[in-house]
Amino acid sequence: MSNQSNFERLKTTPVTELNLGSASIRRVIKHAGFDTLPKLLNLSEKDIDALFEWRDADVIIELQARYRANPEDFASSVLQKREIDAEAVDETLSKAKASYVAPRKFSASNAGSLLFAHDGPTSLPSMPFSDALRGFEKRAREAFDDLDDRFDDVMVYQTFEEFPTDLDELSDAFLQLFNYYSGQPRSALALIDRHLRNAFAIFVADRARNVYSEGNLWGNFFAELPISDSNVQGLFKRVFADHIERRGMPLYARDEEVNCYYYTALLHGGLSADLWSNLWEKCILPLANEIAAGHYGFGGEMDGHSILKELKNPESRFAPKKAVLNILEKAPDSTIAPPTIFLSRFDCFNRIIQNAMQLLAGQVCRHVPWGVFGPRKRD
């Protein structure tokens, strides 16, 4: 087969079947909306920098240089058979995509509709908090990649266990970054969008669950941040939601412009202690008692979907208060009620009681995100 035919094949061969050196770069390119490689490599370096994290952008720009130097030889090289089976890679690439939200597609036609013009700083300042943030970003990215390999639907709170003693330090490092750029908060957000997207997602989700109280999320959230301009606050939320979408994680209330950020932050944070208190005391514990007594479910057990159906029923005596109910209604069952999870009078019921007692002691907000309502693990 000739080099020219290889070049023609490159135009139609899915990026998931190309030999680009690593599965991760194929996954990143695919998630960004590029089904084939030439469309990506014909972008400008500025557009590539804007669409991808800097490490990925560097790899893609190197591929672009090889492509432009000799398109035919480049095509022949990347079309060489890979050791990894293509079907297995496709399965890996699709695992983190939530079926109910399609990630936004990026292409040359919409590359101009970017959050930042990149006319501000392009590198983090030479400060101790920058070194800390780089370390957190590396760990966060690895944690998300690992979760992508193990779960169908990934939620941010699943990464919290990778930072068992470091979440306060991560939060403090971001607060220092925003204080450093207190007069130019857009510059801080531009740097985050360029270098710290994964760590930022964890920062926002963790902070959301810690500050939410009595229906107030964003007022409490920005109380300690030097960001008073409502437009910049909106940009802050969008940077968070954009990365959630880029990674193929679920966005909630997508058709409700304002509530999308609100529900997405709260649900990815695993709910706050304020919300959990009502959910445990008024709903889950009483329902678990009824299940254990044989009044609900079968033989002292009840599957996760049936439990959620009961909790989401506004007419049920186990329904939570309206603020909690509104949030539960936004979350598809696939992310919070796996069919393999059961509440039994022996195992789960005892565990629920223990977790609830921890909550009442004020200790659960950092250790028990969704409890038995965790995301569905891959078989």
Side-chain angles (χ1 to χ4, degrees):
M1 188 172 289
S2 68
N3 284 336
Q4 182 61 35
S5 65
N6 282 332
F7 180 67
E8 292 301 320
R9 285 174 56 207
L10 182 63
K11 295 179 181 179
T12 57
T13 301
V15 69
T16 56
E17 298 178 10
L18 297 177
N19 184 3
L20 302 180
S22 72
S24 62
I25 194 64
R26 290 191 293 273
R27 177 170 55 202
V28 165
I29 293 171
K30 179 71 173 178
H31 281 177
F34 295 94
D35 295 324
T36 59
L37 200 58
K39 292 180 180 179
L40 171 62
L41 298 183
N42 285 325
L43 294 181
S44 67
E45 288 191 12
K46 181 178 179 181
D47 286 340
I48 293 173
D49 278 335
L51 288 173
F52 298 93
E53 297 182 21
W54 67 270
R55 293 183 182 85
D56 297 326
D58 286 348
V59 173
I60 293 168
I61 289 171
E62 288 180 7
L63 292 173
Q64 185 183 62
R66 292 170 51 200
Y67 170 71
R68 290 178 174 175
N70 193 322
E72 296 174 355
D73 285 351
F74 175 82
S76 177
S77 173
V78 298
L79 286 167
Q80 289 179 359
K81 183 175 178 62
R82 293 182 286 111
E83 294 181 0
I84 301 175
D85 182 72
E87 183 178 348
V89 173
D90 285 340
E91 180 182 355
T92 301
L93 289 169
S94 64
K95 65 190 171 313
K97 290 189 175 181
S99 60
Y100 43 86
V101 175
R104 182 173 68 248
K105 297 292 185 179
F106 291 92
S107 65
S109 62
N110 64 12
S113 58
L114 304 171
L115 292 180
F116 302 97
H118 291 282
D119 53 357
T122 58
S123 59
L124 292 166
S126 299
M127 299 291 290
F129 65 78
S130 295
D131 293 334
L133 287 170
R134 290 189 189 96
F136 284 130
E137 173 63 16
K138 181 177 184 296
R139 291 169 59 190
R141 183 176 182 179
E142 291 173 350
F144 279 123
D145 286 346
D146 177 64
L147 289 168
D148 279 347
D149 291 336
R150 295 189 289 123
F151 292 93
D152 287 305
D153 299 322
V154 174
M155 303 292 287
V156 175
Y157 67 72
Q158 291 173 268
T159 65
F160 293 167
E161 65 183 34
E162 300 298 326
F163 299 84
T165 61
D166 299 331
L167 286 172
D168 287 338
E169 287 80 0
L170 183 149
S171 179
D172 183 64
F174 272 108
L175 291 176
Q176 290 183 59
L177 175 66
F178 282 110
N179 285 327
Y180 185 87
Y181 287 103
S182 59
Q184 300 174 302
R186 285 182 61 93
S187 294
L189 291 172
L191 288 170
I192 288 169
D193 190 59
R194 184 178 179 86
H195 300 293
L196 304 169
R197 293 173 185 160
N198 295 285
F200 183 66
I202 295 175
F203 165 68
V204 174
D206 178 50
R207 186 170 177 80
R209 66 172 177 163
N210 288 325
V211 304
Y212 176 89
S213 178
E214 297 298 327
N216 186 340
L217 173 60
W218 297 119
N220 293 337
F221 194 104
F222 289 110
E224 296 181 21
L225 289 171
I227 304 177
S228 56
D229 187 303
S230 61
N231 291 326
V232 181
Q233 289 181 2
L235 183 60
F236 180 106
K237 300 170 191 176
R238 187 176 171 189
V239 171
F240 168 71
D242 271 15
H243 186 58
I244 294 297
E245 189 176 22
R246 284 173 186 267
R247 289 211 68 110
M249 294 188 288
L251 288 175
Y252 297 99
R254 179 69 178 275
D255 56 341
E256 304 173 31
E257 184 175 354
V258 175
N259 289 334
C260 176
Y261 302 135
Y262 176 88
Y263 288 118
T264 298
L266 278 177
L267 285 163
H268 275 283
L271 297 189
S272 67
D274 180 76
L275 294 172
W276 267 110
S277 180
N278 174 259
L279 197 56
W280 281 120
E281 295 180 62
K282 306 298 183 183
C283 311
I284 296 178
L285 273 178
L287 178 57
N289 272 309
E290 293 298 309
I291 294 170
H295 300 151
Y296 281 78
F298 299 94
E301 296 183 349
M302 192 172 184
D303 68 89
H305 286 294
S306 297
I307 292 168
L308 261 187
K309 183 178 180 181
E310 187 67 31
L311 295 180
K312 288 184 176 183
N313 178 8
E315 304 300 322
S316 171
R317 64 189 178 97
F318 303 109
K321 64 183 180 181
K322 186 169 180 57
V324 181
L325 184 60
N326 287 341
I327 293 172
L328 290 181
E329 288 175 342
K330 300 298 180 183
D333 291 359
S334 62
T335 62
I336 57 177
T340 57
I341 297 298
F342 292 84
L343 292 177
S344 70
R345 63 163 57 98
F346 300 110
D347 181 21
C348 292
F349 178 55
N350 290 333
R351 183 153 45 89
I352 285 175
I353 292 176
Q354 293 170 4
N355 288 341
M357 295 306 293
Q358 283 183 311
L359 175 67
L360 297 177
Q363 300 174 5
V364 79
C365 62
R366 281 213 180 269
H367 301 293
V368 183
W370 273 101
V372 294
F373 297 98
R376 180 162 55 88
K377 191 169 183 179
R378 291 183 58 81
D379 296 329

